[in-house]
Amino acid sequence: MSLLQQLGLAPETLGSKLAASRVLVVGDVMLDRYWFGDVSRISPEAPVPVARINRMEERAGGAANVARNIAGLGGQATILSVVGDDEAATALARLLAADGIQASLKRDPEISTTVKLRVVARQQQLIRLDFEDAPSHEILADKLDEYAAIVAEHDVVILSDYGKGGLTHVARMIALARAAGKPVLIDPKGDDYSKYAGATLLTPNRSEFRQVAGSWQTEEQLSAKAEALRAALQLDALLVTRSEEGMTLFRADGAVHEPTLAKEVYDVSGAGDTVIGTLGLMLAAGLDMPLAMSLANAAAGIVVAKLGTAVCHQRELFAL
């Protein structure tokens, strides 16, 4: 029996609902660059490997990867973000257009587009080089104005915080979305979650939640900490992704747990993007939270078996 059958979902019906669902993604976008090569010697200049590069790839990362997952699952994704006025921004726009994503990338000539360059040899990452700047106040204000103008046109809002400055006005964005009657899902960053108060759902991973709530020894302690945070921030729900332990959804009426479905973990980078992207799209399609979480968990199990910031496609999810 397929996963959809187990969940009582018909592929054709769900596919049609996903195609009609509109999700607005706002946050920090970045360009993920991969240089693939071989290592056969150590440099005579320093005790480091010499990588001979033979292939290069570019992928839209950060909040853009959330939008890619939504599009890959057959939904309508719009992304709103700030980039530099440079070659990397042009590459990002091209990649997003190729995936059928409606992108509004505000170009700030004062900054460089965030780029993460990874050198990979024999399936192992040798080094990652990051290039990034914080956007200016003026360009962020311009982005907020556009957000206010288009938020009502979408079914769900996802705010993807990578701590690069793109969500400086996150509290205002939450208020505008809730005023428009739209659920707000947030992938949080940092140790101060008070700015996310009033959101529908937060999706911290295990280490992020521990940083904010403190450590725990038992499931009872975890539940108590999750409920305390959920109540303090007036959230509808809190979803803690727990790596090999699966994920747990905490709501006022109790917790629901999903064990991990990953058969092979190859690369966990971008898995959080898949979780929140899938969850947001399924909620936009009318599914309830536990059902949406089951599908998000399954989608995450698919992407961790892929290299880099990968996406889960609808055919892969429906084939489970």
Side-chain angles (χ1 to χ4, degrees):
M1 182 180 292
S2 71
L3 175 63
L4 291 188
Q5 289 174 325
Q6 293 175 40
L7 297 175
L9 299 170
E12 297 80 8
T13 303
L14 180 57
S16 296
K17 289 181 178 179
L18 296 179
S21 301
R22 301 160 300 173
V23 181
L24 175 59
V25 181
V26 187
D28 301 306
V29 298
M30 56 197 71
L31 182 64
D32 286 316
R33 284 190 160 134
Y34 296 86
W35 288 3
F36 298 97
D38 297 313
V39 171
S40 59
R41 62 191 178 98
I42 300 298
S43 171
E45 304 166 354
V48 295
V50 175
R52 182 177 180 182
I53 305 301
N54 52 43
R55 181 167 59 93
M56 293 177 282
E57 285 186 18
E58 292 181 332
R59 302 175 191 175
N65 193 45
V66 177
R68 289 178 64 219
N69 275 277
I70 293 165
L73 289 168
Q76 300 178 43
T78 302
I79 187 150
L80 178 59
S81 191
V82 176
V83 294
D85 190 10
D86 51 23
E87 172 271 335
T90 300
L92 259 177
R94 182 184 68 250
L95 290 168
L96 290 168
D99 283 332
I101 297 165
Q102 181 69 36
S104 178
L105 302 179
K106 301 291 184 183
R107 295 206 178 208
D108 185 346
E110 301 300 315
I111 68 169
S112 297
T113 301
T114 299
V115 175
K116 292 183 178 180
L117 171 60
R118 299 169 176 88
V119 180
V120 181
R122 297 182 182 179
Q123 315 303 331
Q124 296 293 320
Q125 188 177 138
L126 299 182
I127 191 171
R128 193 182 91 183
L129 308 175
D130 288 8
F131 308 84
E132 61 187 57
D133 293 301
S136 66
H137 174 75
E138 291 78 12
I139 204 79
L140 289 173
D142 185 39
K143 186 183 78 168
L144 183 61
D145 289 342
E146 182 174 354
Y147 173 88
I150 67 174
V151 65
E153 302 169 6
H154 297 80
D155 302 306
V156 167
V157 174
I158 294 177
L159 305 180
S160 181
D161 195 348
Y162 272 79
K164 311 300 183 186
L167 287 180
T168 298
H169 301 299
V170 64
R172 181 62 179 151
M173 289 179 177
I174 294 170
L176 287 167
R178 297 312 294 262
K182 309 301 179 181
V184 186
L185 282 58
I186 304 179
D187 191 354
K189 191 62 116 183
D191 55 8
D192 178 15
Y193 281 12
S194 62
K195 58 189 174 184
Y196 305 129
T200 305
L201 172 80
L202 297 189
T203 62
N205 62 34
R206 182 171 53 191
S207 62
E208 289 168 339
F209 182 69
R210 184 181 291 113
Q211 182 182 5
V212 171
S215 60
W216 60 89
Q217 300 299 323
T218 66
E219 289 295 315
E220 290 73 20
Q221 290 175 349
L222 170 60
S223 294
K225 289 179 178 294
E227 178 56 26
L229 181 63
R230 191 196 66 77
L233 298 181
Q234 297 181 304
L235 308 171
D236 290 4
L238 180 72
L239 177 67
V240 181
T241 58
R242 305 169 61 183
S243 191
E244 74 281 354
E245 296 175 350
M247 57 184 66
T248 309
L249 178 69
F250 299 94
R251 297 186 294 174
D253 57 356
V256 180
H257 183 73
E258 282 282 340
T260 182
L261 294 181
K263 296 181 176 61
E264 177 183 1
V265 178
Y266 189 64
D267 190 340
V268 298
S269 62
D273 300 333
T274 299
V275 169
I276 197 168
T278 306
L279 196 67
L281 178 59
M282 297 304 164
L283 292 177
L287 276 63
D288 63 22
M289 275 194 190
L291 205 54
M293 178 183 67
S294 293
L295 292 170
N297 186 50
I302 290 170
V303 299
V304 296
K306 301 178 180 181
L307 176 64
T309 47
V311 304
C312 175
H313 294 284
Q314 185 181 110
R315 63 181 181 277
E316 296 174 305
L317 184 61
F318 285 13
L320 289 177

